[in-house]
Amino acid sequence: GAAAGASTGTYPIVPSAAVGTGLSNYNIHYINGTLTINAGSLIITANSMSKTYGQTVTFGGTEFTVTGLIGSDSVTSVTLVSAGADASATVAGSPYAITPSAATGTGLNKYSISYVDGSLTVNKADLTITADSTSKTYGDVLVPTGTEFIASGLVNSDSVTSVTLTCAG
């Protein structure tokens, strides 16, 4: 028989030592056949993940799953890229594809490799806007300009230029 872990390619099937009745009456000629081992199917899927707006994702090359490996063959790393990995990737553009390619490992020359994208979801970051505390004298009118606040949690070059400030006093 042929070994399950044999590499792709062609191998001779060699007949010999025929057993039966009356074979001594024949000049037996053996002709080789051919065994063709085609590439196995291997599917590498990038793991889906999420991040918060403003964070950067750095792929380690191990964020994937594999289907179809046989025996001791292995996939040790995969190149993963996504436009959503950068800190400036927006919620509006989400989800972004995580594209796997260039698998490395052992025995991979025996496979036809298919890559399946994962997705990178960008979640909203928290932004806190705190109105400035102030005081006034009874009878005076306080007219806020919309800039009496502190914003915390902004990332990248995002900004808050004004807010509506209302008060019953």
Side-chain angles (χ1 to χ4, degrees):
S7 293
T8 57
T10 58
Y11 298 87
I13 301 172
V14 181
S16 64
V19 176
T21 57
L23 296 182
S24 61
N25 297 310
Y26 297 91
N27 287 320
I28 300 176
H29 303 276
Y30 295 104
I31 300 174
N32 290 352
T34 301
L35 170 64
T36 301
I37 299 178
N38 298 312
S41 177
L42 187 66
I43 301 170
I44 298 175
T45 304
N47 294 345
S48 292
M49 54 193 333
S50 64
K51 70 168 196 161
T52 300
Y53 172 68
Q55 293 178 336
T56 299
V57 173
T58 302
F59 296 108
T62 59
E63 300 87 352
F64 63 90
T65 57
V66 180
T67 305
L69 283 173
I70 297 172
S72 62
D73 296 340
S74 66
V75 177
T76 55
S77 71
V78 172
T79 299
L80 299 161
V81 295
S82 177
D86 189 65
S88 64
T90 63
V91 173
S94 178
Y96 296 88
I98 301 172
T99 305
S101 64
T104 60
T106 57
L108 299 183
N109 61 329
K110 298 180 268 185
Y111 298 92
S112 172
I113 301 175
S114 299
Y115 295 98
V116 178
D117 290 352
S119 65
L120 176 56
T121 301
V122 178
N123 297 311
K124 291 182 179 185
D126 289 330
L127 174 62
T128 302
I129 299 176
T130 305
D132 292 342
S133 296
T134 190
S135 63
K136 72 172 188 122
T137 304
Y138 177 75
D140 288 349
V141 176
L142 179 65
V143 180
T145 63
T147 59
E148 298 87 356
F149 67 91
I150 297 172
S152 59
L154 289 167
V155 295
N156 300 321
S157 59
D158 298 340
S159 64
V160 178
T161 55
S162 70
V163 297
T164 300
L165 298 166
T166 58
C167 180

